Amino acid sequence: MELPNYYLADLPGDATASPQIIHEASIALRKNRAQYLQEKSVSQITATICAAAAEWLDPENEFRKLALNNPEASGFPREILIQGLDEFFRQITKGNVEALIQQDLGLATRLEAFGSTLWEQQNDRASLAQGPELIVHVTGGKLPTPVFTSMILG
């Protein structure tokens, strides 16, 4: 099964992470951000995250099948992987993602325009949040849900 690689440049399996490869991957990721994410609203990105989570709950999803058909890669029995993936991805809902953004920023709308909470309005304050152009997730271990959590929070 040949799945797309959304995260790095297409590399041979024996490639070593060199400064050149990391540089080229960063350029590709920046282009993807500009093409697919930069102009999307918080609501659209939240919907995309939730749709991806819903796809992971589908037994026919190719990424899910790949994860479940290779339990030795994680060291967990298939049944435990199924339970963990299902419990994790069921929690990725519009309300929960919006709550995470609000917890971090006070207002989800701060990613699109200046905004103020009630306290900030009373104190003549407002702020705008701007995400970084590129985020790198370095992961260790074999548990998938901490990686997914890191990516969603990013």
Side-chain angles (χ1 to χ4, degrees):
M1 166 181 2
E2 189 68 30
L3 295 174
N5 186 341
Y6 295 112
Y7 307 103
L8 291 177
D10 291 327
L11 302 172
D14 61 346
T16 302
S18 67
Q20 180 65 26
I21 286 176
I22 292 170
H23 175 76
E24 289 174 14
S26 297
I27 290 170
L29 290 168
R30 284 186 178 114
K31 285 180 184 176
N32 287 343
R33 175 189 177 266
Q35 185 174 354
Y36 299 109
L37 289 175
Q38 191 168 354
E39 299 303 318
K40 289 191 182 241
S41 68
V42 173
S43 178
Q44 290 171 313
I45 293 171
T46 298
T48 300
I49 290 169
C50 293
E55 287 179 20
W56 268 90
L57 291 170
D58 178 1
E60 296 304 311
N61 176 277
E62 294 299 321
F63 289 109
R64 179 185 176 97
K65 286 198 268 187
L66 181 64
L68 295 178
N69 292 334
N70 191 15
E72 51 282 337
S74 70
F76 290 97
R78 189 173 197 278
E79 297 75 28
I80 298 297
L81 289 172
I82 290 169
Q83 181 181 355
L85 290 172
D86 287 349
E87 287 181 17
F88 177 79
F89 284 112
R90 277 192 203 112
Q91 295 178 52
I92 309 302
T93 64
K94 183 177 186 251
N96 286 346
V97 173
E98 288 173 349
L100 285 171
I101 296 169
Q102 186 167 348
Q103 178 180 323
D104 279 353
L105 303 177
L107 297 168
T109 55
R110 280 196 171 131
L111 288 164
E112 299 171 335
F114 278 93
S116 301
T117 63
L118 181 59
W119 180 87
E120 290 167 331
Q121 289 172 11
Q122 293 169 345
N123 290 281
D124 295 325
R125 295 180 182 188
S127 63
L128 171 71
Q130 184 175 4
E133 184 178 348
L134 181 66
I135 298 174
V136 176
H137 299 273
V138 179
T139 64
K142 299 181 180 214
L143 297 174
T145 55
V147 175
F148 295 143
T149 301
S150 176
M151 292 171 69
I152 290 168
L153 292 174

mmCIF file of all heavy atoms in Angstrom, residues 41-80:
data_model
loop_
_atom_site.group_PDB
_atom_site.id
_atom_site.type_symbol
_atom_site.label_atom_id
_atom_site.label_comp_id
_atom_site.label_asym_id
_atom_site.label_seq_id
_atom_site.Cartn_x
_atom_site.Cartn_y
_atom_site.Cartn_z
ATOM 1 N N SER A 41 -9.883 29.905 7.602
ATOM 2 C CA SER A 41 -10.301 30.463 8.890
ATOM 3 C C SER A 41 -10.090 29.424 9.993
ATOM 4 O O SER A 41 -9.895 28.234 9.727
ATOM 5 C CB SER A 41 -11.780 30.846 8.826
ATOM 6 O OG SER A 41 -12.572 29.659 8.722
ATOM 7 N N VAL A 42 -10.142 29.879 11.224
ATOM 8 C CA VAL A 42 -10.046 28.970 12.370
ATOM 9 C C VAL A 42 -11.143 27.916 12.282
ATOM 10 O O VAL A 42 -10.908 26.728 12.524
ATOM 11 C CB VAL A 42 -10.142 29.751 13.702
ATOM 12 C CG1 VAL A 42 -10.222 28.801 14.885
ATOM 13 C CG2 VAL A 42 -8.958 30.682 13.849
ATOM 14 N N SER A 43 -12.322 28.340 11.896
ATOM 15 C CA SER A 43 -13.449 27.415 11.765
ATOM 16 C C SER A 43 -13.175 26.350 10.709
ATOM 17 O O SER A 43 -13.476 25.170 10.913
ATOM 18 C CB SER A 43 -14.712 28.203 11.428
ATOM 19 O OG SER A 43 -15.791 27.338 11.261
ATOM 20 N N GLN A 44 -12.592 26.748 9.587
ATOM 21 C CA GLN A 44 -12.277 25.790 8.524
ATOM 22 C C GLN A 44 -11.189 24.807 8.966
ATOM 23 O O GLN A 44 -11.271 23.612 8.677
ATOM 24 C CB GLN A 44 -11.828 26.522 7.256
ATOM 25 C CG GLN A 44 -12.943 27.269 6.559
ATOM 26 C CD GLN A 44 -12.416 28.139 5.437
ATOM 27 O OE1 GLN A 44 -11.435 28.869 5.606
ATOM 28 N NE2 GLN A 44 -13.068 28.068 4.282
ATOM 29 N N ILE A 45 -10.180 25.300 9.652
ATOM 30 C CA ILE A 45 -9.107 24.414 10.122
ATOM 31 C C ILE A 45 -9.639 23.468 11.189
ATOM 32 O O ILE A 45 -9.321 22.272 11.179
ATOM 33 C CB ILE A 45 -7.902 25.228 10.625
ATOM 34 C CG1 ILE A 45 -7.249 25.954 9.442
ATOM 35 C CG2 ILE A 45 -6.893 24.336 11.340
ATOM 36 C CD1 ILE A 45 -6.182 26.955 9.819
ATOM 37 N N THR A 46 -10.477 23.977 12.079
ATOM 38 C CA THR A 46 -11.094 23.121 13.092
ATOM 39 C C THR A 46 -11.927 22.037 12.421
ATOM 40 O O THR A 46 -11.855 20.860 12.810
ATOM 41 C CB THR A 46 -11.969 23.960 14.041
ATOM 42 O OG1 THR A 46 -11.136 24.911 14.708
ATOM 43 C CG2 THR A 46 -12.670 23.110 15.077
ATOM 44 N N ALA A 47 -12.683 22.393 11.416
ATOM 45 C CA ALA A 47 -13.501 21.409 10.695
ATOM 46 C C ALA A 47 -12.619 20.361 10.025
ATOM 47 O O ALA A 47 -12.951 19.166 10.010
ATOM 48 C CB ALA A 47 -14.383 22.104 9.665
ATOM 49 N N THR A 48 -11.487 20.778 9.478
ATOM 50 C CA THR A 48 -10.563 19.838 8.837
ATOM 51 C C THR A 48 -9.980 18.865 9.857
ATOM 52 O O THR A 48 -9.902 17.658 9.608
ATOM 53 C CB THR A 48 -9.433 20.600 8.115
ATOM 54 O OG1 THR A 48 -10.016 21.453 7.128
ATOM 55 C CG2 THR A 48 -8.448 19.658 7.469
ATOM 56 N N ILE A 49 -9.591 19.372 11.011
ATOM 57 C CA ILE A 49 -9.058 18.507 12.079
ATOM 58 C C ILE A 49 -10.121 17.503 12.511
ATOM 59 O O ILE A 49 -9.834 16.304 12.655
ATOM 60 C CB ILE A 49 -8.577 19.364 13.275
ATOM 61 C CG1 ILE A 49 -7.313 20.140 12.893
ATOM 62 C CG2 ILE A 49 -8.333 18.488 14.514
ATOM 63 C CD1 ILE A 49 -6.905 21.193 13.898
ATOM 64 N N CYS A 50 -11.345 17.970 12.695
ATOM 65 C CA CYS A 50 -12.430 17.079 13.120
ATOM 66 C C CYS A 50 -12.767 16.048 12.049
ATOM 67 O O CYS A 50 -13.054 14.887 12.363
ATOM 68 C CB CYS A 50 -13.661 17.891 13.511
ATOM 69 S SG CYS A 50 -13.387 18.883 14.997
ATOM 70 N N ALA A 51 -12.718 16.456 10.800
ATOM 71 C CA ALA A 51 -12.980 15.509 9.700
ATOM 72 C C ALA A 51 -11.896 14.441 9.647
ATOM 73 O O ALA A 51 -12.188 13.253 9.437
ATOM 74 C CB ALA A 51 -13.071 16.256 8.369
ATOM 75 N N ALA A 52 -10.651 14.833 9.855
ATOM 76 C CA ALA A 52 -9.556 13.852 9.874
ATOM 77 C C ALA A 52 -9.735 12.876 11.032
ATOM 78 O O ALA A 52 -9.521 11.668 10.867
ATOM 79 C CB ALA A 52 -8.210 14.558 9.975
ATOM 80 N N ALA A 53 -10.148 13.380 12.187
ATOM 81 C CA ALA A 53 -10.396 12.506 13.335
ATOM 82 C C ALA A 53 -11.519 11.526 13.024
ATOM 83 O O ALA A 53 -11.423 10.331 13.349
ATOM 84 C CB ALA A 53 -10.730 13.344 14.571
ATOM 85 N N ALA A 54 -12.578 12.008 12.392
ATOM 86 C CA ALA A 54 -13.695 11.128 12.034
ATOM 87 C C ALA A 54 -13.243 10.054 11.053
ATOM 88 O O ALA A 54 -13.667 8.898 11.148
ATOM 89 C CB ALA A 54 -14.842 11.950 11.441
ATOM 90 N N GLU A 55 -12.350 10.414 10.137
ATOM 91 C CA GLU A 55 -11.827 9.425 9.194
ATOM 92 C C GLU A 55 -11.044 8.334 9.914
ATOM 93 O O GLU A 55 -11.101 7.164 9.532
ATOM 94 C CB GLU A 55 -10.962 10.109 8.139
ATOM 95 C CG GLU A 55 -11.758 10.913 7.136
ATOM 96 C CD GLU A 55 -10.884 11.595 6.107
ATOM 97 O OE1 GLU A 55 -9.720 11.173 5.911
ATOM 98 O OE2 GLU A 55 -11.353 12.578 5.504
ATOM 99 N N TRP A 56 -10.302 8.702 10.948
ATOM 100 C CA TRP A 56 -9.549 7.709 11.713
ATOM 101 C C TRP A 56 -10.471 6.729 12.431
ATOM 102 O O TRP A 56 -10.063 5.619 12.777
ATOM 103 C CB TRP A 56 -8.621 8.391 12.717
ATOM 104 C CG TRP A 56 -7.253 8.639 12.162
ATOM 105 C CD1 TRP A 56 -6.828 9.755 11.500
ATOM 106 C CD2 TRP A 56 -6.142 7.756 12.208
ATOM 107 N NE1 TRP A 56 -5.515 9.610 11.131
ATOM 108 C CE2 TRP A 56 -5.064 8.394 11.564
ATOM 109 C CE3 TRP A 56 -5.939 6.483 12.741
ATOM 110 C CZ2 TRP A 56 -3.817 7.801 11.435
ATOM 111 C CZ3 TRP A 56 -4.680 5.907 12.612
ATOM 112 C CH2 TRP A 56 -3.647 6.550 11.965
ATOM 113 N N LEU A 57 -11.708 7.105 12.673
ATOM 114 C CA LEU A 57 -12.670 6.198 13.316
ATOM 115 C C LEU A 57 -13.271 5.210 12.317
ATOM 116 O O LEU A 57 -13.867 4.217 12.722
ATOM 117 C CB LEU A 57 -13.785 7.013 13.992
ATOM 118 C CG LEU A 57 -13.340 7.813 15.216
ATOM 119 C CD1 LEU A 57 -14.445 8.773 15.644
ATOM 120 C CD2 LEU A 57 -12.936 6.891 16.352
ATOM 121 N N ASP A 58 -13.111 5.472 11.034
ATOM 122 C CA ASP A 58 -13.649 4.601 9.983
ATOM 123 C C ASP A 58 -12.744 3.379 9.817
ATOM 124 O O ASP A 58 -11.559 3.528 9.507
ATOM 125 C CB ASP A 58 -13.731 5.379 8.673
ATOM 126 C CG ASP A 58 -14.234 4.553 7.508
ATOM 127 O OD1 ASP A 58 -14.555 3.352 7.680
ATOM 128 O OD2 ASP A 58 -14.309 5.120 6.405
ATOM 129 N N PRO A 59 -13.276 2.169 10.007
ATOM 130 C CA PRO A 59 -12.452 0.963 9.866
ATOM 131 C C PRO A 59 -11.805 0.815 8.490
ATOM 132 O O PRO A 59 -10.812 0.099 8.348
ATOM 133 C CB PRO A 59 -13.441 -0.188 10.116
ATOM 134 C CG PRO A 59 -14.571 0.416 10.841
ATOM 135 C CD PRO A 59 -14.643 1.862 10.414
ATOM 136 N N GLU A 60 -12.330 1.497 7.467
ATOM 137 C CA GLU A 60 -11.774 1.392 6.119
ATOM 138 C C GLU A 60 -10.699 2.455 5.833
ATOM 139 O O GLU A 60 -10.116 2.461 4.752
ATOM 140 C CB GLU A 60 -12.890 1.490 5.079
ATOM 141 C CG GLU A 60 -13.884 0.338 5.162
ATOM 142 C CD GLU A 60 -13.192 -1.026 5.050
ATOM 143 O OE1 GLU A 60 -12.372 -1.214 4.131
ATOM 144 O OE2 GLU A 60 -13.474 -1.899 5.899
ATOM 145 N N ASN A 61 -10.438 3.342 6.777
ATOM 146 C CA ASN A 61 -9.419 4.372 6.586
ATOM 147 C C ASN A 61 -8.050 3.714 6.416
ATOM 148 O O ASN A 61 -7.652 2.879 7.224
ATOM 149 C CB ASN A 61 -9.420 5.319 7.793
ATOM 150 C CG ASN A 61 -8.322 6.356 7.701
ATOM 151 O OD1 ASN A 61 -7.183 6.087 8.066
ATOM 152 N ND2 ASN A 61 -8.680 7.531 7.232
ATOM 153 N N GLU A 62 -7.340 4.088 5.348
ATOM 154 C CA GLU A 62 -6.065 3.442 5.023
ATOM 155 C C GLU A 62 -4.999 3.662 6.091
ATOM 156 O O GLU A 62 -4.209 2.763 6.374
ATOM 157 C CB GLU A 62 -5.568 3.909 3.654
ATOM 158 C CG GLU A 62 -6.450 3.469 2.504
ATOM 159 C CD GLU A 62 -6.560 1.956 2.369
ATOM 160 O OE1 GLU A 62 -5.555 1.251 2.574
ATOM 161 O OE2 GLU A 62 -7.662 1.480 2.041
ATOM 162 N N PHE A 63 -4.951 4.859 6.691
ATOM 163 C CA PHE A 63 -3.976 5.110 7.742
ATOM 164 C C PHE A 63 -4.285 4.262 8.978
ATOM 165 O O PHE A 63 -3.384 3.720 9.613
ATOM 166 C CB PHE A 63 -3.935 6.593 8.111
ATOM 167 C CG PHE A 63 -3.321 7.455 7.051
ATOM 168 C CD1 PHE A 63 -4.103 8.319 6.310
ATOM 169 C CD2 PHE A 63 -1.966 7.405 6.789
ATOM 170 C CE1 PHE A 63 -3.540 9.122 5.332
ATOM 171 C CE2 PHE A 63 -1.390 8.200 5.808
ATOM 172 C CZ PHE A 63 -2.177 9.066 5.083
ATOM 173 N N ARG A 64 -5.566 4.154 9.323
ATOM 174 C CA ARG A 64 -5.967 3.336 10.468
ATOM 175 C C ARG A 64 -5.598 1.875 10.210
ATOM 176 O O ARG A 64 -5.060 1.205 11.084
ATOM 177 C CB ARG A 64 -7.478 3.480 10.712
ATOM 178 C CG ARG A 64 -7.978 2.645 11.877
ATOM 179 C CD ARG A 64 -9.500 2.735 11.990
ATOM 180 N NE ARG A 64 -9.989 1.885 13.033
ATOM 181 C CZ ARG A 64 -10.267 2.269 14.272
ATOM 182 N NH1 ARG A 64 -10.079 3.528 14.624
ATOM 183 N NH2 ARG A 64 -10.712 1.417 15.172
ATOM 184 N N LYS A 65 -5.903 1.397 9.008
ATOM 185 C CA LYS A 65 -5.577 0.008 8.679
ATOM 186 C C LYS A 65 -4.074 -0.229 8.779
ATOM 187 O O LYS A 65 -3.633 -1.257 9.296
ATOM 188 C CB LYS A 65 -6.080 -0.361 7.282
ATOM 189 C CG LYS A 65 -7.588 -0.558 7.221
ATOM 190 C CD LYS A 65 -7.993 -1.337 5.988
ATOM 191 C CE LYS A 65 -8.327 -0.498 4.821
ATOM 192 N NZ LYS A 65 -8.861 -1.238 3.679
ATOM 193 N N LEU A 66 -3.297 0.717 8.295
ATOM 194 C CA LEU A 66 -1.845 0.587 8.365
ATOM 195 C C LEU A 66 -1.386 0.498 9.825
ATOM 196 O O LEU A 66 -0.558 -0.353 10.167
ATOM 197 C CB LEU A 66 -1.169 1.770 7.663
ATOM 198 C CG LEU A 66 0.350 1.769 7.633
ATOM 199 C CD1 LEU A 66 0.878 0.585 6.824
ATOM 200 C CD2 LEU A 66 0.859 3.079 7.044
ATOM 201 N N ALA A 67 -1.926 1.351 10.685
ATOM 202 C CA ALA A 67 -1.558 1.334 12.104
ATOM 203 C C ALA A 67 -1.990 0.032 12.780
ATOM 204 O O ALA A 67 -1.247 -0.552 13.572
ATOM 205 C CB ALA A 67 -2.180 2.529 12.824
ATOM 206 N N LEU A 68 -3.189 -0.436 12.467
ATOM 207 C CA LEU A 68 -3.716 -1.623 13.138
ATOM 208 C C LEU A 68 -3.153 -2.924 12.580
ATOM 209 O O LEU A 68 -3.113 -3.930 13.292
ATOM 210 C CB LEU A 68 -5.242 -1.642 13.039
ATOM 211 C CG LEU A 68 -5.953 -0.517 13.770
ATOM 212 C CD1 LEU A 68 -7.454 -0.613 13.560
ATOM 213 C CD2 LEU A 68 -5.608 -0.515 15.251
ATOM 214 N N ASN A 69 -2.727 -2.920 11.347
ATOM 215 C CA ASN A 69 -2.188 -4.137 10.744
ATOM 216 C C ASN A 69 -0.691 -4.298 10.976
ATOM 217 O O ASN A 69 -0.080 -5.212 10.442
ATOM 218 C CB ASN A 69 -2.508 -4.184 9.253
ATOM 219 C CG ASN A 69 -3.994 -4.366 9.015
ATOM 220 O OD1 ASN A 69 -4.706 -4.913 9.845
ATOM 221 N ND2 ASN A 69 -4.464 -3.879 7.889
ATOM 222 N N ASN A 70 -0.129 -3.404 11.771
ATOM 223 C CA ASN A 70 1.292 -3.463 12.085
ATOM 224 C C ASN A 70 1.496 -3.250 13.586
ATOM 225 O O ASN A 70 2.227 -2.354 13.989
ATOM 226 C CB ASN A 70 2.037 -2.409 11.264
ATOM 227 C CG ASN A 70 3.526 -2.578 11.314
ATOM 228 O OD1 ASN A 70 4.039 -3.618 11.731
ATOM 229 N ND2 ASN A 70 4.233 -1.546 10.908
ATOM 230 N N PRO A 71 0.832 -4.060 14.443
ATOM 231 C CA PRO A 71 0.899 -3.824 15.890
ATOM 232 C C PRO A 71 2.304 -3.981 16.462
ATOM 233 O O PRO A 71 2.622 -3.351 17.478
ATOM 234 C CB PRO A 71 -0.070 -4.853 16.474
ATOM 235 C CG PRO A 71 -0.201 -5.903 15.442
ATOM 236 C CD PRO A 71 0.003 -5.216 14.126
ATOM 237 N N GLU A 72 3.149 -4.768 15.814
ATOM 238 C CA GLU A 72 4.501 -4.949 16.343
ATOM 239 C C GLU A 72 5.304 -3.648 16.304
ATOM 240 O O GLU A 72 6.237 -3.470 17.081
ATOM 241 C CB GLU A 72 5.245 -6.085 15.643
ATOM 242 C CG GLU A 72 5.277 -6.062 14.144
ATOM 243 C CD GLU A 72 3.992 -6.528 13.459
ATOM 244 O OE1 GLU A 72 3.175 -7.261 14.031
ATOM 245 O OE2 GLU A 72 3.808 -6.124 12.308
ATOM 246 N N ALA A 73 4.929 -2.728 15.442
ATOM 247 C CA ALA A 73 5.625 -1.434 15.384
ATOM 248 C C ALA A 73 5.436 -0.648 16.679
ATOM 249 O O ALA A 73 6.324 0.092 17.087
ATOM 250 C CB ALA A 73 5.134 -0.621 14.196
ATOM 251 N N SER A 74 4.286 -0.804 17.323
ATOM 252 C CA SER A 74 4.042 -0.089 18.571
ATOM 253 C C SER A 74 4.295 -0.955 19.795
ATOM 254 O O SER A 74 4.480 -0.441 20.892
ATOM 255 C CB SER A 74 2.597 0.418 18.623
ATOM 256 O OG SER A 74 1.708 -0.677 18.763
ATOM 257 N N GLY A 75 4.249 -2.255 19.615
ATOM 258 C CA GLY A 75 4.427 -3.156 20.753
ATOM 259 C C GLY A 75 3.140 -3.428 21.503
ATOM 260 O O GLY A 75 3.146 -4.056 22.551
ATOM 261 N N PHE A 76 2.026 -2.944 20.980
ATOM 262 C CA PHE A 76 0.736 -3.141 21.629
ATOM 263 C C PHE A 76 -0.110 -4.116 20.822
ATOM 264 O O PHE A 76 -0.073 -4.105 19.599
ATOM 265 C CB PHE A 76 -0.023 -1.814 21.762
ATOM 266 C CG PHE A 76 0.595 -0.882 22.750
ATOM 267 C CD1 PHE A 76 1.447 0.121 22.319
ATOM 268 C CD2 PHE A 76 0.344 -1.008 24.111
ATOM 269 C CE1 PHE A 76 2.037 0.981 23.221
ATOM 270 C CE2 PHE A 76 0.933 -0.144 25.019
ATOM 271 C CZ PHE A 76 1.788 0.853 24.576
ATOM 272 N N PRO A 77 -0.922 -4.903 21.517
ATOM 273 C CA PRO A 77 -1.845 -5.786 20.783
ATOM 274 C C PRO A 77 -2.834 -4.955 19.962
ATOM 275 O O PRO A 77 -3.187 -3.822 20.315
ATOM 276 C CB PRO A 77 -2.575 -6.552 21.891
ATOM 277 C CG PRO A 77 -1.758 -6.368 23.105
ATOM 278 C CD PRO A 77 -1.003 -5.087 22.947
ATOM 279 N N ARG A 78 -3.302 -5.515 18.880
ATOM 280 C CA ARG A 78 -4.236 -4.840 17.973
ATOM 281 C C ARG A 78 -5.463 -4.320 18.720
ATOM 282 O O ARG A 78 -5.926 -3.206 18.463
ATOM 283 C CB ARG A 78 -4.642 -5.819 16.863
ATOM 284 C CG ARG A 78 -5.430 -5.197 15.741
ATOM 285 C CD ARG A 78 -5.626 -6.212 14.601
ATOM 286 N NE ARG A 78 -6.003 -5.566 13.379
ATOM 287 C CZ ARG A 78 -7.256 -5.195 13.094
ATOM 288 N NH1 ARG A 78 -8.224 -5.419 13.932
ATOM 289 N NH2 ARG A 78 -7.520 -4.595 11.931
ATOM 290 N N GLU A 79 -6.012 -5.112 19.640
ATOM 291 C CA GLU A 79 -7.221 -4.712 20.379
ATOM 292 C C GLU A 79 -6.972 -3.450 21.213
ATOM 293 O O GLU A 79 -7.846 -2.588 21.314
ATOM 294 C CB GLU A 79 -7.699 -5.849 21.288
ATOM 295 C CG GLU A 79 -8.110 -7.110 20.553
ATOM 296 C CD GLU A 79 -6.924 -7.932 20.012
ATOM 297 O OE1 GLU A 79 -5.814 -7.878 20.593
ATOM 298 O OE2 GLU A 79 -7.112 -8.596 18.977
ATOM 299 N N ILE A 80 -5.791 -3.339 21.803
ATOM 300 C CA ILE A 80 -5.460 -2.152 22.597
ATOM 301 C C ILE A 80 -5.307 -0.941 21.678
ATOM 302 O O ILE A 80 -5.746 0.163 22.015
ATOM 303 C CB ILE A 80 -4.165 -2.382 23.419
ATOM 304 C CG1 ILE A 80 -4.358 -3.530 24.408
ATOM 305 C CG2 ILE A 80 -3.706 -1.113 24.110
ATOM 306 C CD1 ILE A 80 -5.417 -3.278 25.464
#
